[in-house]
Amino acid sequence: MEMLCQQTRRTTSVSWPTDIDRRLNLLVRAAAAAGERTNRAELLAALVTAAETDPDQLAELLHRYRRLPGDALGHDSDREDLPAVRAPGPRRSIA
């Protein structure tokens, strides 16, 4: 039986606020602190599979997100208690 996480990949472009991107990086670091080897794409996939498909619940989730103030996530991306992980994007060679 093929596992969902092993299926053919689809590349998706996501555009969102910078603080959301920092939050995703923080979540990847938190997973690493728990001993998980993961990346942004896999974590997003896990979060999407965990979401309910109930229309009312999704609407409420969207409404809560849209009402969050700009400083809602705080500034804990520099937490030293979480391990550093590979930054997203291509590697640059230093010449």
Side-chain angles (χ1 to χ4, degrees), residues 33-73:
E36 292 297 323
R37 290 182 47 137
T38 191
N39 56 45
R40 293 161 48 98
E42 185 177 46
L43 183 54
L44 284 171
L47 292 170
V48 168
T49 60
E52 294 295 328
T53 57
D54 177 81
D56 293 331
Q57 287 184 5
L58 284 172
E60 179 58 30
L61 182 68
L62 284 166
H63 294 164
R64 279 187 281 149
Y65 166 70
R66 291 173 181 155
R67 290 190 301 259
L68 286 173
D71 61 352
L73 298 180

Side-chain angles (χ1 to χ4, degrees), residues 21 24-25 28 39-41 85-91:
D21 199 61
L24 177 57
N25 290 337
V28 170
N39 56 45
R40 293 161 48 98
V85 294
R86 179 185 173 291
R91 289 280 190 222

Side-chain angles (χ1 to χ4, degrees), residues 72-95:
L73 298 180
H75 298 285
D76 56 2
S77 60
D78 58 349
R79 287 182 46 182
E80 294 181 15
D81 62 321
L82 298 177
V85 294
R86 179 185 173 291
R91 289 280 190 222
R92 293 186 184 164
S93 61
I94 300 174

